[in-house]
C-alpha cells in the first residue's frame, strides 16, 4: 500500500489505520484488538525491583503495554486494594514471590477494553477480577490471559468487586471446609475488624451461625463494636476481656464454639483454643503478632482439639483440576449472590489515587486503622 505524499498527515494516518484494521480482520483479528495493540497507551504501575520496606522499594513508573495475542485480554484497572499479603510479598515474606521486578498487588477489578481473536468468554465493557495471585494489579492497564480472569457482575459496587477475590473467599472456605456447622452453632475469631474478619461476620450471619469477635482494645472501641454489630456480630470482645473469668458468664447463652479462626497467633490464639468446644478446630490463616501458635498439651489431649492452616492460593491450586476447573468461579458467584441479597458488603474502605500510593501504603501498616486502602486508577 502507498500513501500519497500530497495529502495531509491526518488523512494519510486515517487511510493507513483503515488499511491495517482491514488487514487484521482478514487475519482473524478484531478491530478492537488492533486498536488496543497499536495505539500508544501510557501505563502507570507500582513496581518493586527488590524486596524490602514497601515505602522504600515501591516506585511509580511507566510501562509499555504488552502486545495483544489471540487469547489475551486488554484490561483497564479500575481499583485495587492494599492487602497484608501484598505487603508481605513486597517484603519477601510470603509463600508466593513473583519474579523481580514485579508489579505490586494481587487483587482488584478492571474493565475489558479489547480482546484477542481466540477469546470467547469476555467482551469489551465486562468487569473482571483476577483468578490468581502474583499478576500485579497496582497499574492503570494490563494485558492478561483470558484464563486468569473471572467476569463479575457490574451491578455490584466497585469496592465490593475490588475486594472480592481474597478476603471473602478465605472467610467462606474456612467457615464451610473444616467443621460441619449447623444453624445456631458458634464461631470465635480474632482480628475481627480485618477484611477477612468482617467477611466472616457477614457470611456466618447469612449461614445463621453465631460469632464471638475478638479485637484489640483501642480508644474508639465502642465505635468499632457498633460497626461490627451492624455487620451482624453477636458478641465483640477485646483481647483483655476474653481472658477474664466472667467472660464465660457473658457467653453462657451461646454453645461453645466448634470453630476458631486465627489471624493473630501468639497469646491471642492460645485464648481462642481455651474457649473451643471439645473436638473443635482452630484454623490459622495469619500471624499478625509475629509469634508462634502455642497450644497446651492438656487442651490437645483432653479436649482433642485440632490445629489446621489455610492459604487461599493453596486451596485454588488443590481445586483447579481438569475435572472441576470452575470451582473458584462458582465460589465467586456464590459471594456475588450474597452481595445481591444484601448479606455481604465491602469492608470499610478509603479510596486513594494511584499517584498517592505512599499514603495508602503507610495507612495499611499503621496500627488500629480499620479502613481498607483502595488504589483507584
Amino acid at each position: 500500500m502507498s500513501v500519497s505524499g500530497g495529502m495531509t498527515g491526518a488523512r494519510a494516518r486515517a487511510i493507513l489505520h483503515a488499511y491495517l484494521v482491514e488487514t487484521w480482520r482478514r487475519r482473524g483479528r478484531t478491530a478492537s484488538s488492533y486498536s488496543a495493540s497499536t495505539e500508544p497507551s501510557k501505563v502507570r504501575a507500582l513496581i518493586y525491583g527488590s524486596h524490602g520496606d514497601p515505602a522504600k522499594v515501591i516506585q511509580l513508573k511507566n510501562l509499555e503495554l504488552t502486545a495483544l495475542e489471540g487469547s489475551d485480554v486488554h484490561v483497564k484497572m479500575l481499583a485495587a486494594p492494599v492487602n497484608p499479603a501484598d505487603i508481605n510479598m513486597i517484603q519477601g515474606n510470603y509463600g508466593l514471590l513473583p519474579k523481580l521486578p514485579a508489579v505490586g498487588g494481587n487483587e482488584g477489578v478492571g474493565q475489558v477494553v479489547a480482546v484477542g481473536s481466540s477469546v470467547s468468554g469476555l467482551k469489551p465493557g465486562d468487569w473482571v477480577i483476577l483468578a490468581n495471585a502474583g499478576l500485579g494489579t497496582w497499574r492503570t492497564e494490563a494485558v492478561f490471559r483470558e484464563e486468569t480472569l473471572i467476569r463479575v457482575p457490574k451491578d455490584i459496587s466497585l469496592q465490593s468487586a475490588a475486594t472480592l477475590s481474597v478476603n471473602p473467599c478465605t472467610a467462606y472456605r474456612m467457615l464451610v471446609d473444616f467443621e460441619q456447622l449447623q444453624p445456631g452453632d458458634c464461631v470465635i475469631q480474632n482480628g475481627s475488624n480485618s477484611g477477612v474478619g468482617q467477611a466472616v461476620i457477614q457470611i456466618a450471619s447469612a449461614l445463621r451461625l453465631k460469632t464471638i469477635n475478638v479485637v484489640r482494645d483501642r480508644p474508639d472501641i465502642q465505635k468499632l463494636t457498633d460497626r461490627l454489630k451492624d455487620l451482624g456480630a453477636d458478641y465483640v470482645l477485646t483481647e483483655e476481656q476474653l481472658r477474664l473469668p466472667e467472660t464465660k458468664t457473658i457467653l453462657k447463652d451461646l454453645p461453645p464454639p466448634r470453630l476458631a479462626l486465627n489471624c493473630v497467633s501468639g497469646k491471642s490464639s492460645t485464648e481462642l483454643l481455651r474457649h473451643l468446644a471439645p473436638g473443635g478446630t482452630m484454623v490459622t490463616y495469619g500471624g499478625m503478632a509475629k509469634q508462634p501458635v502455642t497450644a497446651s498439651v492438656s487442651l490437645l489431649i483432653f479436649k482433642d482439639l485440632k490445629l489446621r492452616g489455610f492459604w487461599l492460593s493453596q486451596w485454588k491450586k488443590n481445586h483447579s483440576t481438569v475435572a472441576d476447573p470452575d470451582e473458584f468461579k462458582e465460589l465467586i458467584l456464590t459471594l456475588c449472590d450474597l452481595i445481591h441479597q444484601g448479606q455481604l458488603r465491602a469492608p470499610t474502605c478509603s479510596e486513594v489515587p494511584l499517584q498517592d500510593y505512599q499514603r495508602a501504603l503507610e495507612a495499611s501498616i499503621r496500627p488500629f486503622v480499620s479502613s481498607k486502602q483502595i488504589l483507584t486508577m
Side-chain angles (χ1 to χ4, degrees):
M1 175 190 177
S2 62
V3 179
S4 170
M7 67 176 64
T8 65
R11 174 65 177 157
R13 286 193 298 272
I15 293 175
L16 179 61
H17 176 88
Y19 169 75
L20 290 174
V21 168
E22 177 62 18
T23 300
W24 274 51
R25 186 188 66 78
R26 290 174 180 172
R27 292 177 181 174
R29 302 269 187 159
T30 65
S32 61
S33 298
Y34 160 72
S35 299
S37 59
T38 59
E39 293 179 356
S41 182
K42 183 181 180 181
V43 179
R44 301 282 279 165
L46 295 179
I47 300 174
Y48 58 103
S50 61
H51 295 123
D53 180 354
K56 296 178 180 179
V57 299
I58 285 284
Q59 293 181 306
L60 182 60
K61 292 186 175 182
N62 291 329
L63 287 181
E64 288 187 13
L65 192 65
T66 306
L68 202 70
E69 300 293 340
S71 59
D72 289 342
V73 180
H74 175 194
V75 176
K76 173 180 171 54
M77 294 304 300
L78 301 175
V82 180
N83 290 319
D86 302 327
I87 301 299
N88 294 152
M89 191 174 283
I90 296 166
Q91 293 169 334
N93 304 320
Y94 200 65
L96 170 67
L97 297 177
K99 182 180 178 181
L100 300 180
V103 177
N106 293 290
E107 184 182 30
V109 62
Q111 186 166 34
V112 174
V113 176
V115 301
S117 60
S118 302
V119 175
S120 58
L122 296 170
K123 64 183 184 302
D126 285 346
W127 275 16
V128 290
I129 61 176
L130 275 70
N132 301 310
L135 298 177
T137 56
W138 296 349
R139 54 175 127 189
T140 54
E141 297 178 65
V143 171
F144 300 111
R145 304 287 288 180
E146 181 184 15
E147 63 266 23
T148 66
L149 300 172
I150 298 175
R151 184 167 60 86
V152 296
K154 296 173 68 175
D155 60 353
I156 64 177
S157 73
L158 186 69
Q159 292 181 352
S160 290
T163 59
L164 180 61
S165 65
V166 176
N167 293 333
C169 293
T170 297
Y172 186 92
R173 294 263 56 102
M174 291 193 301
L175 284 171
V176 304
D177 287 352
F178 294 93
E179 288 284 341
Q180 299 302 308
L181 300 176
Q182 301 298 321
D185 283 343
C186 186
V187 177
I188 187 169
Q189 65 166 340
N190 56 24
S192 305
N193 59 311
S194 65
V196 172
Q198 293 179 58
V200 164
I201 291 170
Q202 296 175 85
I203 297 170
S205 180
L207 296 173
R208 292 185 290 161
L209 304 172
K210 303 294 185 180
T211 56
I212 302 169
N213 303 278
V214 184
V215 297
R216 289 180 294 176
D217 199 4
R218 64 197 66 206
D220 61 345
I221 185 63
Q222 189 57 51
K223 181 179 178 182
L224 175 60
T225 298
D226 293 342
R227 183 155 59 82
L228 295 183
K229 287 191 172 183
D230 182 59
L231 292 177
D234 293 285
Y235 291 88
V236 179
L237 302 171
T238 65
E239 299 276 2
E240 292 75 18
Q241 288 174 324
L242 190 65
R243 299 189 184 104
L244 297 176
E246 53 265 34
T247 297
K248 289 186 177 182
T249 303
I250 297 173
L251 303 176
K252 63 181 175 59
D253 294 330
L254 291 179
R258 292 174 51 196
L259 179 66
L261 305 178
N262 167 47
C263 69
V264 178
S265 299
K267 294 180 180 179
S268 179
S269 59
T270 303
E271 287 299 316
L272 294 188
L273 286 171
R274 195 166 62 85
H275 285 80
L276 266 182
T281 301
M282 183 174 77
V283 182
T284 294
Y285 66 98
M288 292 192 299
K290 294 182 169 56
Q291 296 173 356
V293 171
T294 303
S296 75
V297 173
S298 61
L299 288 176
L300 293 177
I301 294 176
F302 302 122
K303 291 183 71 174
D304 189 26
L305 301 183
K306 299 179 287 290
L307 303 182
R308 300 289 303 276
F310 182 82
W311 183 31
L312 183 63
S313 294
Q314 188 63 48
W315 181 90
K316 287 191 285 188
K317 182 179 179 181
N318 293 344
H319 291 77
S320 296
T321 64
V322 175
D324 193 5
D326 295 325
E327 191 166 354
F328 184 61
K329 292 182 181 180
E330 291 172 4
L331 172 57
I332 293 297
L333 292 177
T334 296
L335 295 171
C336 287
D337 287 342
L338 291 177
I339 294 173
H340 285 138
Q341 294 163 16
Q343 295 178 306
L344 178 64
R345 59 183 189 254
T348 303
C349 296
S350 297
E351 296 188 1
V352 180
L354 184 68
Q355 62 268 24
D356 296 332
Y357 68 94
Q358 289 283 12
R359 176 157 56 93
L361 292 175
E362 191 237 335
S364 68
I365 60 176
R366 192 188 311 142
F368 305 126
V369 175
S370 299
S371 182
K372 175 73 68 177
Q373 304 299 300
I374 304 281
L375 296 169
T376 56
M377 316 306 170

